[in-house]
Every structure is written in C-alpha cells, then in structure tokens.
Amino acid sequence: MGKSTFAFLDSSIAIDGESTTIRIFSDNKSYSHKLSHSYGTIATLAAGTTLYEYDWAPTAQELTKFFEEIPNQTTRSIDVYLDTYNGSTLVGRYTRSLTVTLAEHTGQPTVKAYITTAQGGTVIIPGKTDVIIDDQSSTKYGAKKLMSQFVYDGKEYPDIYSMMDSFSSQLTTTAKAISFGYKVTDTRRFSNTQTMQYM
C-alpha cells in the first residue's frame, strides 16, 4: 500500500467562475487525505472510501499570491498536492499541475479619478485652463498601472489637452457638458474606463 493519486477532470480553468473536479483514488479506506497548494489548504477529506470526488472552484482572492508572482501574465500553472495519511502518519505526497487563467472582468483595474482645474473654476477653456487629474485608480493581483488615456468619440488620447483639441471646435460661448472616458490599463493589458463629464 502507498500514497493515493488523483486527477483533474479539467486541467485548465478560468478564474473566477469555472471549477474542476478532483478525482482521488485510494487503495485503502482507512486513509485520510489533504489537498493543498503552496499557499494554503484546499480541503481535508476523512477516511472511509477509496474514491473521492471533490469539486474545486478557486477564486482569484484565494490564488492572489500566485498571481502576484506574475504581474504581466494572465495564465500560470500551479501545483496541487495530495497528502495521504494513515492515521496521523504521512504516507506520501502526490502532485499534479492545474493551469489557471485570470479573467479580465475579475482582474481589471478599478478606475477612480477626479478632474479639477488649477484656477479653481468649473469651466475648461482649451489652451487656457490648467487641468488636474487626481487619479486614485488601483490595480489587482500584483499588476502595475501601465498607462492612462482619455477616450472621446471612439478615439484615445495620451492626455487631456490633446483630447480637448479634438472637441474644441464644438465649444461655443454657452457652457456645454462634454462626456469622455478615463481609461486605465495595467501590465496584464487589462483595462477599465470611467465616464467623466465636464463643462
């Protein structure tokens, strides 16, 4: 008799939302088992059977430390361990790899930005108003902020002044609200956009 073995029903899954079934084969009903990875326990399985099926739906929060190690990537392979116990004695460890992919809707940045003017006014005049962007956006799971852009009329601009040039021809003597987007992209190339409005 020796250590138990296991297999993944799906060896590649997306985080969050997808799950995989872990099928464990034991040759002794008296053995208990523990499933784990490098940063924590997945499940503890009591003795009593020679075939277990455990459904695991890992979350990005659960695997945060794994993704923090790859701030520029969305997919990685993690080792899952099955420890076999005879009573309190460790009989052995069996290892298999699972490929996990961070979905963009889960890992995209949280965009939070405010627009003000250095003059303290409420109106932007292209070429005359100094605009200040207070960017309080945050990235997730180890990613870093790569760039921010302004989006207007389906086009992207590197700064607010180049964007203002594109709609300055629309300005009149009457104040007009202009809606535009503030887009943040992280090192995984995940992005998110906040809609902003100013006069």
Side-chain angles (χ1 to χ4, degrees), residues 150-169:
F150 292 86
V151 183
Y152 178 72
D153 196 24
K155 298 178 182 178
E156 297 177 345
Y157 301 88
D159 56 62
I160 196 166
Y161 297 104
S162 59
M163 183 191 68
M164 284 194 298
D165 286 341
S166 72
F167 62 64
S168 60
S169 60

Side-chain angles (χ1 to χ4, degrees), residues 49-122:
T49 184
T50 57
L51 177 62
Y52 299 82
E53 286 197 350
Y54 181 80
D55 292 323
W56 186 37
T59 64
Q61 192 64 38
E62 181 181 355
L63 302 182
T64 292
K65 291 184 178 179
F66 286 106
F67 286 115
E68 285 177 343
E69 295 173 356
I70 54 164
N72 302 331
Q73 300 172 42
T74 60
T75 300
R76 73 163 300 167
S77 178
I78 66 172
D79 286 336
V80 173
Y81 312 115
L82 175 68
D83 290 332
T84 305
Y85 291 89
N86 184 2
S88 60
T89 301
L90 179 63
V91 175
R93 167 172 282 191
Y94 187 78
T95 306
R96 296 203 71 153
S97 293
L98 177 69
T99 300
V100 293
T101 300
L102 185 63
E104 182 167 7
H105 71 270
T106 299
Q108 67 185 175
T110 298
V111 183
K112 187 177 181 181
Y114 304 93
I115 185 169
T116 58
T117 65
Q119 290 84 356
T122 59

